[in-house]
Amino acid sequence: MFKKEIDTPAILVDYDIMHNNLKKMAEAAREGGVDLRPHIKTHKTPEIAGLQRDYGSRGITVAKVGEAEVMVKSGFDDILIAYPLVKENKIKRMYKLADRARIISGVDSFTGARILSEFAGGHNTVFEVMLIVDTGLERCGVKPDREGIETARMIDNLPGVKIIGVFTHEGHVYGNPGPDHEIRKLAREAAQTMVKFGARLREEEIDANIISVGSTPTAAYNARVKGITEIRPGTYVFNDMN
C-alpha cells in the first residue's frame, strides 16, 4: 500500500524505530535492576502494549479506568491506574476488573482513600494503592515531608485500603531546555527524594516497598539510583519531538 492510498486521519508509525525505542528502554530497566511498568497513555493500543510486554514490562500504567478496562479485556493482568478514583461508579468499574487482573489505584489524599475504604467495606475487599508523591511537578500528590507521612499513615489505617508503594511523575523535567546533565540532576533529585520518603514510610511500618518513578527523559537515569524499584516511562515508545 502507498501512503497516498491511506485514508485520513491516520497514524503512521515507523515499526523499526518503535522497536528500537522499546528495546533501549527495556535494556535500561534490566541494567538498572528495576521493573518496567510503561504508561500506555501515549499509544493507548493493546498491540503496542503487547510489544512492551514482550520486551519485559512487568505490568502497565494507565490514566483512567476506561483504559484499564480495554487492557484487561486484551489480557493484561497487572495494571496501575495512576489517576485517583473518587466517584463510586468509577470505583465499581475498577472493582469488577479485580476478578481478572491485579489492579492498583493511585491515591493522594485521605478523603479520596476514605471513599475507596467505604466501597471496600461494602464489598468485602481490599484495594491495593500507591501513594502519589509530588517531587516538583506540583500537579498532584502529597509532599514528601512530615505531613505526607501523616497522610500516608491515615490512609494505611483505613480498612479495606493497603499502601504497597509510592510513585511520582517528575514531569517538571519536560520544561527544562538545559543540557543533559541538568536532566540527570533533576532525575537524581526526584529519585533520591522518593527513596528517602519510602524509607521513612517503612520506618512507620507502612509497606511502601515499591518505589516508582515515571518520565521518559529521566527513566534511564532513575533506573540506576539505588532504591528505585520501578520506572514508568510513556512517550519513549515513539520518542517524539517533546
Side-chain angles (χ1 to χ4, degrees):
M1 176 180 287
F2 296 99
K3 282 195 288 186
K4 66 181 180 180
E5 298 176 297
I6 299 174
D7 196 9
T8 58
I11 298 175
L12 303 183
V13 176
D14 187 305
Y15 199 70
D16 292 334
I17 291 176
M18 181 181 70
H19 269 274
N20 187 55
N21 292 340
L22 298 179
K23 179 181 178 181
K24 287 174 63 177
M25 189 61 73
E27 289 174 346
R30 283 195 296 271
E31 291 171 1
V34 301
D35 291 325
L36 174 62
R37 183 187 290 276
H39 204 310
I40 59 91
K41 64 183 178 182
T42 296
H43 57 78
K44 299 187 181 184
T45 308
E47 290 81 2
I48 295 178
L51 293 175
Q52 291 173 310
R53 182 172 54 191
D54 292 344
Y55 275 101
S57 66
R58 66 152 291 169
I60 58 174
T61 306
V62 301
K64 56 185 183 178
V65 70
E67 294 172 358
E69 289 169 332
V70 171
M71 292 298 168
V72 169
K73 186 177 180 180
S74 299
F76 293 88
D77 60 3
D78 191 341
I79 299 175
L80 167 65
I81 302 177
Y83 196 82
L85 303 179
V86 296
K87 294 291 187 179
E88 184 174 352
N89 67 317
K90 296 292 198 328
I91 297 171
K92 184 177 181 180
R93 288 164 61 188
M94 176 178 70
Y95 170 70
K96 288 182 176 180
L97 295 175
D99 288 338
R100 292 177 286 165
R102 182 191 191 189
I103 305 295
I104 306 166
S105 176
V107 297
D108 68 348
S109 72
F110 175 74
T111 300
R114 185 169 56 189
I115 297 172
L116 288 176
S117 174
E118 291 171 353
F119 185 96
H123 293 79
N124 192 31
T125 192
V126 176
F127 289 118
E128 289 186 315
V129 302
M130 289 178 62
L131 187 66
I132 306 170
V133 181
D134 178 14
T135 53
L137 183 58
E138 298 184 345
R139 183 172 67 184
C140 62
V142 303
K143 297 293 184 182
D145 55 17
R146 191 71 225 175
E147 185 176 346
I149 291 175
E150 183 59 30
T151 298
R153 183 187 295 112
M154 292 169 61
I155 291 172
D156 203 52
N157 285 337
L158 287 168
V161 175
K162 178 63 176 175
I163 292 179
I164 63 169
V166 292
F167 76 98
T168 191
H169 172 52
E170 57 276 26
H172 55 291
V173 302
Y174 283 102
N176 190 314
D180 190 61
H181 71 268
E182 291 187 14
I183 301 297
R184 286 200 302 269
K185 178 176 180 291
L186 290 171
R188 184 172 60 252
E189 289 174 350
Q192 291 174 343
T193 294
M194 292 295 288
V195 171
K196 291 177 182 176
F197 189 58
R200 292 177 67 187
L201 292 179
R202 291 191 295 275
E203 289 173 359
E204 299 289 333
E205 299 184 348
I206 298 171
D207 294 332
N209 295 312
I210 300 175
I211 310 297
S212 179
V213 291
S215 160
T216 289
T218 62
Y221 305 131
N222 285 339
R224 297 195 291 265
V225 175
K226 185 177 180 180
I228 293 299
T229 68
E230 178 181 275
I231 56 174
R232 305 181 334 279
T235 59
Y236 80 97
V237 61
F238 298 140
N239 205 18
D240 57 29
M241 286 295 291
N242 187 45

